[in-house]
């Protein structure tokens, strides 16, 4: 097993030089906008990054705030979502926006359990919002991170599908500070 400190150093160096320019990522060292992160992460569920980019930009042009999205008609959101597929995501995003405005004063929650109570938000999305938008320590595991962990640690078979094993490895690998940046670095690295 390689040294986790060296792995982190290598991945963060790679990220500094090769960070993908994605419209939901902030410029510089700023955290992502929580609403933008929510929209992006819901759109990215089971959909490729290249497909999401144009929809994301158009979506935020139409509904630049969570309050405006919460006031939209569901039928309007579904029509706008056309072509992106998995329409349940659009319904859930719209419902989540309404609940966030009603129960959280229009601010996307920064707590894992509060996020998980919202429609369409599972473990990954809640962890991503906490790490990417709020800069809190979070273990964020998506397909690319699983692929990365499997390769680095030589996992096979049941080990790859073991949620517990992946989480244990990630806890040891993810830095305590800027875990969201590290997760995005690994995602970019593993997506190539």
């Amino acid at each position: 097993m390689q040294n986790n400190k060296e792995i982190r150093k290598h991945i963060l160096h790679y990220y500094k030089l090769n960070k993908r320019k994605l419209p939901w990522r902030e410029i510089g060292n700023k955290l992502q906008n929580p609403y933008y992160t929510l929209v992006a992460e819901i759109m990215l569920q089971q959909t490729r990054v290249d497909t999401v980019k144009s929809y994301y930009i158009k979506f935020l042009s139409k509904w630049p705030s969570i309050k405006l999205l919460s006031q939209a008609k569901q039928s309007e959101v579904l029509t706008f979502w056309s072509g992106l597929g998995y329409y349940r995501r659009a319904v859930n995003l719209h419902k989540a926006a309404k609940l966030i405005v009603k129960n959280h004063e229009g601010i996307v929650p920064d707590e894992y359990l509060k996020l998980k109570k919202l429609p369409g938000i599972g473990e990954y999305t809640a962890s991503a919002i906490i790490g990417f938008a709020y800069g809190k320590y979070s273990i964020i595991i998506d397909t690319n991170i699983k692929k990365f962990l499997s390769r680095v640690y030589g996992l096979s078979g049941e080990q790859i599908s073991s949620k517990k094993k992946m989480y244990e490895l990630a806890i040891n690998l993810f830095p305590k500070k800027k875990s969201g940046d590290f997760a995005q670095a690994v995602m970019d690295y593993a997506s190539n």
Side-chain angles (χ1 to χ4, degrees), residues 98-166:
K98 286 180 173 293
L99 289 169
I100 291 167
V101 168
K102 179 182 175 187
N103 299 332
H104 303 284
E105 299 176 4
I107 298 168
V108 176
D110 65 349
E111 296 175 33
Y112 180 83
L113 293 177
K114 287 181 180 178
L115 286 164
K116 286 261 308 190
K117 289 180 181 178
L118 295 170
I121 298 183
E123 291 176 18
Y124 167 78
T125 303
S127 297
I129 291 169
I130 289 168
F132 301 157
Y134 291 108
K136 293 184 173 185
Y137 176 71
S138 185
I139 298 298
I140 304 162
I141 301 177
D142 77 338
T143 304
N144 284 324
I145 292 177
K146 283 181 186 177
K147 181 169 61 171
F148 176 81
L149 293 172
S150 298
R151 288 179 180 165
V152 168
Y153 296 108
L155 304 181
S156 61
E158 289 182 14
Q159 291 177 315
I160 294 172
S161 58
S162 169
K163 206 172 178 179
K164 183 181 177 188
K165 182 68 175 173
M166 287 292 169

Side-chain angles (χ1 to χ4, degrees), residues 35-36 38-40 42-43 59-60 62-78 80-81 89-101 108:
Y35 169 60
Y36 297 174
L38 172 66
V39 171
I42 296 290
M43 286 184 169
F59 192 92
L60 287 179
K62 181 128 179 97
W63 296 293
S65 73
I66 199 158
K67 185 176 181 183
L68 289 173
L69 177 59
S70 75
Q71 295 169 346
K73 291 180 182 175
Q74 182 176 301
S75 59
E76 186 180 14
V77 175
L78 287 169
F80 198 85
W81 200 271
R89 295 178 301 167
V91 171
N92 286 334
L93 177 58
H94 188 242
K95 285 180 182 177
K98 286 180 173 293
L99 289 169
I100 291 167
V101 168
V108 176

